[in-house]
Amino acid sequence: MSKYSDDPAWSDIVPLPQDDGGPNPLAAIAYKDEYSEAMSYLRAVMAENEMSERVLGLTEHIISMNPAHYTVWLYRAKCLFTLSSDLKAEIAWLNPTALKHLKNYQIWHHRQTIIEKLDSADGEVTFISSMLEADSKNYHVWSYRQWLVRRFDLWHEGELEAVEGMLKEDVRNNSAWNHRWFVVFGNEKMEGVDDGVLEREMDYAKAAIYMTPQNQSPWNYLRGLLRYAKLPASTLKEFALEFASPEKPDEVHSSHALDLLADIYAEEENKKEAEKALDLLAKRFDPIRANYWNYRKSLLELPAAAS
Amino acid sequence: MSLVSGPGRGGITDDRLPHELRLFVDKHVCYIQSLDTRKDELEYWLTEHLRLSGLYWGLTALHLLGRPDGLPRNEVLDFVMSCMHDNGGFGAAPGHDAHMLYTISAVQILATLDAFGELEERVGGGRQKIGQYIASLQDTTTGTFAGDEWGETDTRFLYGALNALSLLGLLDLVNINQAVEHIQECANFDGGYGTSPGAESHAGQIFTCVAALSIAGRLDLVDRDKLGGWLSERQLKNGGLNGRPEKKEDVCYSWWVASSLAMIGRLHWIDAEKLTKFILNCQDPELGGFADRPGNMVDVFHTVFGIAGLSLVKYAGLVEVDPVYCMPLAVTKRALGKLK
Ligand SMILES: [Zn+2]
């Protein structure tokens, strides 16, 4: 196939140019030859619609050089299915390839196609964990994880524990917070959530806020719980007051608490306190969004402000 | 159009006075024009799978800079048509499979060049063919769209489908109501939208969902205050915008976040002056182009979204951009107006 792939002298070439100036020019020129030679073979076999072990080797070679080339992945999948290849072996090959190319997403679509056909999620969660260890906020990995949970009904197979472990590591990981919501509330077959679960989730988000009062994610989560359960904002009044009060501008530990208090006071039709909280946000704690806070203030003038 | 990064880096490193922080229009024009002369670079070939989108990014940037003739029209048209497949879809470059993303780029380029007439001359019934290809990718059980025959779905593809079909005047080929329902299922507890139901809110996906709703005429379904609150929270102290909580700022989010805010009438909720400064600091004042943030290599992707972001906040001298399409407003008005 390629005279370069069999040559150990070329095995050390890094397939993708680096952010800091690219590979050295000599290696780049040689590498370009290898790549364009492999591509010219691919065009030839695709023209003949050849499906063979030889083609699988060729696609592997090209993917190793350029994993973002979507046509190569599609052709490889076609080939695997036509030859009834060992799909477990394909997954075993994909694992290190995915870890090497963290930002690539074609790989995840390919993986999903293979796992769908295999009809088994064996080993997938373990692999996902190792991916998330390398990149804990990778959007493609989290999306794939959600697909897997839905497809194989893994809602109660350790997902909540796993996400708890990740939040313990980084309580600011918004992706993990989102996955928590997904695991608790995302099961379409589930009929509502009982009060015990709701309370558990409230407590969980509150505990995270005690650790990191200025962390957006658990505040968003808490607000989401209120909306989900159709509870008034005042449910959280005492809690919010632990972090801020419009009366003590020098002791504000969380702008998110002030934000929530503004809603609570509006709900109570205590316009004066709501205004104070919003003014503090506009002038002192979040001036970059002054227009937003001022808009919120203007809503207080409307008769429906308390809604 | 090449997607080779560099040659320069974003960021003004010398001691220029603040008033010299301006848009280096000529440098950016030269930068974009030079992209296709870099065929001796490895990265040129490794990014071939994005070529047609790269062309759309470069062409749109030139139009917004007020240099619509910056690229040779006939050559651009020839290249676009060389990517078309018999099924009506377009690949990223000749020899690449047809895919939704490149089909959208092709339609956007054709609209920008006012070339739907030439499309029909070259391929009889071309407009219908493209429309049929896009329509065939709608998932009739969920209403969303796939990227290709392999079925990967994403709200990006849904948006792209509505974008291209509306420009072609063929929205009636698909089930809009079902697509709208799907978008609503992608709405999250924090007010944002993700790539599929349950997926994390992400400014890029929010753009696709809000823009799709806008094309469908259903922005009434958006909780503007809640979503606007989340979006405006994306602005960091340095003026730049991130795509999700606790992530770094990036020039391309100047577009995804600010255009979404513009569509729901909340653009003034972020500090435009600070954003402008941040974007301008990401350009290379010598060789042209924008990087994702100061100090990194420039590329055409961040160049168009940096310029489009500046256009949104009405930076002097730039052509007005349409927040729904990321194309010059005059172009979308012309394309959509012709259909009426
Ligand atoms: Zn970016």
Side-chain angles (χ1 to χ4, degrees), chain B residues 25 40 46 70 84 89 150 159-160 180 187-188 203 242 246 251 256 273 283 286 301 305 307-308 311 320 335:
Chain B
V25 172
D40 57 334
L46 290 188
M84 189 170 178
W150 290 83
Y159 158 67
V180 167
N188 285 323
N242 65 13
E246 300 293 333
V251 155
W256 313 120
E273 204 182 308
Q283 59 181 339
E286 312 296 336
F301 176 84
F305 291 121
I307 293 169
S311 167
E320 192 176 350

Side-chain angles (χ1 to χ4, degrees), chain A residues 70 139 150 174-175 289 291 295, chain B residues 97 197-198 200 225 232 268:
Chain A
Y70 66 98
Y139 202 82
R150 270 201 191 101
N174 194 62
S175 307
R289 294 205 291 160
N291 287 342
Y295 169 82
Chain B
D97 287 345
E200 185 184 2
D225 287 355
S232 63
H268 58 292

Side-chain angles (χ1 to χ4, degrees), chain A residues 3 17 44 50 62 92 125 135 141 190 203 236 259 303:
Chain A
K3 56 186 174 181
E50 177 180 325
I62 294 171
V125 173
D135 182 0
V141 179
M190 183 187 68
D203 289 344
L236 293 169
D259 176 356

Side-chain angles (χ1 to χ4, degrees), chain B residues 94-335:
Chain B
H96 290 244
D97 287 345
H99 191 281
M100 176 73 91
L101 290 179
Y102 310 106
T103 307
I104 301 152
S105 293
V107 171
Q108 288 184 288
I109 294 169
L110 291 172
T112 302
L113 296 177
D114 199 10
F116 287 131
E118 281 140 297
L119 164 72
E120 291 299 315
E121 280 164 28
R122 295 189 190 205
V123 179
R127 208 171 60 96
Q128 275 291 337
K129 262 191 186 164
I130 300 173
Q132 295 293 350
Y133 170 78
I134 295 172
S136 75
L137 292 173
Q138 186 170 32
D139 179 335
T140 49
T141 50
T142 65
T144 190
F145 284 79
D148 56 37
E149 55 182 304
W150 290 83
E152 178 197 10
T153 63
D154 186 323
T155 44
R156 278 193 306 160
F157 306 147
L158 188 161
Y159 158 67
L162 298 199
N163 171 323
L165 288 173
S166 62
L167 291 172
L168 292 165
L170 296 173
L171 273 178
D172 53 356
L173 291 182
V174 295
N175 188 335
I176 300 284
N177 289 339
Q178 213 187 9
V180 167
E181 273 167 36
H182 179 77
I183 294 173
Q184 280 190 286
E185 279 169 22
C186 295
N188 285 323
F189 66 90
D190 56 14
Y193 299 83
T195 179
S196 54
E200 185 184 2
S201 294
H202 180 293
Q205 304 295 341
I206 290 173
F207 164 79
T208 65
C209 290
V210 175
L213 288 175
S214 172
I215 294 170
R218 293 308 310 273
L219 278 179
D220 61 293
L221 296 172
V222 179
D223 182 342
R224 295 175 191 225
D225 287 355
K226 178 123 183 97
L227 178 62
W230 190 92
L231 286 166
S232 63
E233 217 168 2
R234 306 278 60 77
Q235 190 163 36
L236 304 177
K237 287 211 169 64
N238 63 15
L241 302 164
N242 65 13
R244 296 182 261 165
E246 300 293 333
K247 297 282 280 184
K248 275 190 188 164
E249 70 285 358
D250 179 334
V251 155
C252 63
Y253 290 106
S254 308
W255 174 256
W256 313 120
V257 174
S259 61
S260 304
L261 282 167
M263 285 186 266
I264 59 171
R266 303 286 186 275
L267 184 55
H268 58 292
W269 283 5
I270 54 171
D271 188 322
E273 204 182 308
K274 285 209 163 98
L275 176 62
T276 302
K277 271 191 195 145
F278 171 77
I279 299 176
L280 290 176
N281 263 316
C282 293
Q283 59 181 339
D284 176 351
E286 312 296 336
L287 300 167
F290 287 73
D292 57 354
R293 65 184 70 95
N296 289 346
M297 303 278 275
V298 304
D299 62 65
V300 68
F301 176 84
H302 290 96
T303 301
V304 68
F305 291 121
I307 293 169
L310 288 173
S311 167
L312 269 183
V313 295
K314 305 268 187 287
Y315 189 88
L318 288 179
V319 168
E320 192 176 350
V321 69
D322 184 332
V324 180
Y325 290 87
C326 195
M327 292 161 68
L329 190 62
V331 166
T332 55
K333 270 192 176 156
R334 180 186 66 210

